Amino acid sequence: MLALSILVAIVCLVTALLGIYYTARDLSADLVLLGACALAALTWVVLGVALGLRDLGGGHPPDPITLYGYLLTGVLMTVGGGWVGVWERSRFGSLVIAVVALVSMVLLLRLTQIWPGGFA
């Protein structure tokens, strides 16, 4: 799970840096930035599926409702940021994607703090 968490963090960081670059250059979100946002959402889904399969196999997180709430929030927030990027055709759509990616990284960091043994 640690490798998946690192992958989510890297994809979110790259997406945030792309969003900041697009915002600084006054560009609206194009397929590259939206694709990075979709990849970030996909990595959140993969992490959630892996944790779900681990729990079905006998692992028991201390608070599964909060764990899966965080995972669902990560997915929905990233999809929502991409949705705003599609419909807001100014630099602010790119800024929303950058902020969502940064908040996703903080959410992932918080997940590993709450369940320190769950991601090793």
Side-chain angles (χ1 to χ4, degrees), residues 12-51:
C12 287
L13 178 65
V14 169
T15 303
L17 291 175
L18 271 173
I20 291 168
Y21 173 77
Y22 276 51
T23 302
R25 300 280 303 193
D26 198 19
L27 300 172
S28 62
D30 61 0
L31 288 180
V32 173
L33 184 57
L34 294 173
C37 191
L39 185 62
L42 182 65
T43 57
W44 272 105
V45 169
V46 169
L47 179 63
V49 167
L51 286 171

Side-chain angles (χ1 to χ4, degrees), residues 75-88:
V75 171
L76 292 178
M77 186 176 55
T78 309
V79 169
W83 187 260
V84 170
V86 166
W87 293 106
E88 178 59 44

Side-chain angles (χ1 to χ4, degrees), residues 97-115:
I97 291 174
V99 169
V100 162
L102 289 172
V103 171
S104 270
M105 289 174 50
V106 172
L107 189 67
L108 181 69
L109 176 68
R110 189 71 185 126
L111 266 175
T112 57
Q113 287 175 347
I114 293 172
W115 294 276

